[in-house]
Amino acid sequence: MRKARILIVDDAVVVRRLVTDVLAAEPGFEVVGAAANGRIALAKIPQVNPDLITLDMEMPEMDGLTTLREIRKLYPKLPVIMFSTLTSRGAAATLDALSFGANDYVTKPANVGSIMAGIQSVRSELVPRIRAFCPWCSDGEQAASPAVVAAKPVRAAPRIKVRPEIVAIGVSTGGPNALADLLPRLPADFPLPIVIVQHMPPLFTKHLATRLNSQCKFEVVEAAAGDVLRPGKALIAPGDFHMSLVKRGTQTVVHLDQSPPENSCRPSVDVLFRSVADLYGARTLGLILTGMGQDGLRGCEWIHDRGGRIVVQDEATSIVWGMPGAVSRAGLADAVVPLDRMAPAIEGALAITPPAIDTKILNHVASACV
């Protein structure tokens, strides 16, 4: 097993020490260097030959965004995970970093109460991401996990294809860029409501919605409790809240709650997808885009078992093929498509005409009503 070689870039000595200690204690990891700013980091990269870089956003001399741009010019395939602050400014800068080519981000521990809590925060957030981008550093048991199992054909089910009445999207790692590619391809008069769970903390989801709203031909907003679903409007679950849908009279509205995380996620794709499947049944179109982990797998089972359809992003265009891969391997996907074919897949589903009505049954009902 070859170890993942990691370069830590942060101007704070305390943070460099904490991250170094956490990663050095992990099997399969080797911290090969540290740098206090981007200029030093760029000089060290050819010396230590890292497999991955953790990169602070705010540093003297050369900040994270400037450093990231230079890294992408010189090392376009080198994975970079940004270290962000859980602030409005940090959220905006993180979205910029992702658009400039960062692979993912983690938020710095803040107000966690103790050094041990800070260590646990870094371990739980950063370590899985490094393993996702450096899969060779995992031990044999992890390497033989379902991630390498071939995709299955879609599970047999007596389903009649009907035109969907809602699009539900689940996405995580790589999601902001994936959504920025997909949603602007949809027309201004898109006829269905869209509901989205993107794994992000508070503040980040609001900035994401604002940014997507400026790029799309229809409205994109961070959801609020009681929001009414409308055609041609996309609602993004707010960070740290589960989003589900409920009926209020003739309207479908948003419900938010802070019940325990599912799949270590809040918001969780499973929570949203279950509620969508319960309300819309076979009229559900579920999309699973790039993301780490398996959130959305159980929700897709609910959609599938109620006759709805599921489209997942393919491995080649996913930053991490965890969530879509899990759904594909379970045989739940009706289609596995590249990101640039996702919009045509949605349009194809909308082109389905309702099942023909048996005229004999219609005449029988009419005569019974006379």
Side-chain angles (χ1 to χ4, degrees):
M1 177 183 69
R2 181 169 76 84
K3 291 186 176 182
R5 299 168 58 83
I6 303 159
L7 174 63
I8 299 167
V9 186
D10 199 296
D11 68 318
V13 175
V14 172
V15 174
R16 292 201 303 271
R17 185 74 264 166
L18 186 151
V19 176
T20 297
D21 290 346
V22 168
L23 299 186
E26 288 292 323
F29 291 176
E30 179 184 3
V31 177
V32 294
N37 61 54
R39 203 172 302 281
I40 298 172
L42 290 171
K44 280 197 172 187
I45 291 174
Q47 298 173 5
V48 302
N49 191 28
D51 295 309
L52 180 141
I53 295 175
T54 67
L55 181 59
D56 187 22
M57 200 75 74
E58 298 181 8
M59 299 179 292
E61 293 193 47
M62 183 180 284
D63 66 15
L65 291 179
T66 304
T67 306
L68 176 63
R69 289 192 189 97
E70 293 302 311
I71 290 173
R72 280 294 162 258
K73 291 177 186 175
L74 299 169
Y75 311 97
K77 300 297 184 181
L78 179 59
V80 177
I81 298 176
M82 306 302 295
F83 250 43
S84 308
T85 55
L86 195 55
T87 63
S88 180
R89 179 179 174 182
T94 298
L95 291 172
D96 286 338
L98 293 173
S99 68
F100 294 156
N103 297 80
D104 204 355
Y105 71 95
V106 295
T107 54
K108 288 186 175 182
N111 302 319
V112 292
S114 70
I115 293 177
M116 287 306 299
I119 290 172
Q120 182 54 40
S121 175
V122 171
R123 181 179 291 121
S124 62
E125 293 294 320
L126 184 56
V127 169
R129 287 167 167 81
I130 295 175
R131 295 201 183 281
F133 293 119
C134 305
W136 66 84
C137 72
S138 300
D139 59 30
E141 181 179 348
Q142 289 170 313
S145 72
V148 298
V149 178
K152 298 178 182 178
V154 70
R155 295 199 308 208
R159 298 186 297 166
I160 299 174
K161 287 187 177 181
V162 297
R163 191 175 189 271
E165 294 185 6
I166 190 169
V167 176
I169 302 174
V171 62
S172 184
T173 311
N177 288 349
L179 292 171
D181 183 285
L182 169 61
L183 296 182
R185 295 175 187 265
L186 301 177
D189 59 349
F190 189 72
L192 307 182
I194 301 171
V195 286
I196 302 166
V197 163
Q198 159 72 62
H199 295 154
M200 274 188 151
L203 296 177
F204 284 58
T205 46
K206 184 174 181 60
H207 278 273
L208 175 64
T210 300
R211 186 166 298 206
L212 289 171
N213 187 62
S214 70
Q215 299 167 339
C216 293
K217 305 178 187 72
F218 49 81
E219 187 178 12
V220 183
V221 299
E222 182 185 57
D227 278 350
V228 177
L229 267 66
R230 302 191 188 284
K233 182 176 182 179
L235 298 170
I236 298 179
D240 203 32
F241 284 85
H242 289 309
M243 180 169 74
S244 55
L245 304 183
V246 296
K247 276 290 185 183
R248 184 180 294 168
T250 59
Q251 296 179 322
T252 302
V253 302
V254 169
H255 172 75
L256 301 177
D257 68 74
Q258 290 186 304
S259 55
E262 293 195 22
N263 310 302
S264 302
C265 301
R266 190 171 64 200
S268 165
V269 179
D270 279 346
V271 171
L272 175 63
F273 277 24
R274 285 198 303 266
S275 71
V276 172
D278 283 343
L279 288 182
Y280 289 87
R283 296 166 291 134
T284 302
L285 177 60
L287 309 181
I288 295 290
L289 308 183
T290 174
M292 186 172 61
Q294 295 191 349
D295 189 30
L297 174 60
R298 300 305 177 203
C300 284
E301 288 180 346
W302 281 60
I303 292 174
H304 180 276
D305 292 346
R306 284 154 181 76
R309 276 165 297 145
I310 300 151
V311 179
V312 306
Q313 186 176 347
D314 72 350
E315 185 171 10
T317 61
S318 295
I319 297 297
V320 178
W321 208 54
M323 288 165 51
V327 174
S328 177
R329 288 189 300 271
L332 297 168
D334 293 272
V336 180
V337 302
L339 182 60
D340 64 0
R341 299 301 301 165
M342 193 67 68
I346 296 172
E347 293 166 1
L350 294 179
I352 294 174
T353 57
I357 299 175
D358 190 320
T359 54
K360 291 181 179 179
I361 295 177
L362 191 61
N363 291 336
H364 175 75
V365 172
S367 61
C369 294
V370 173

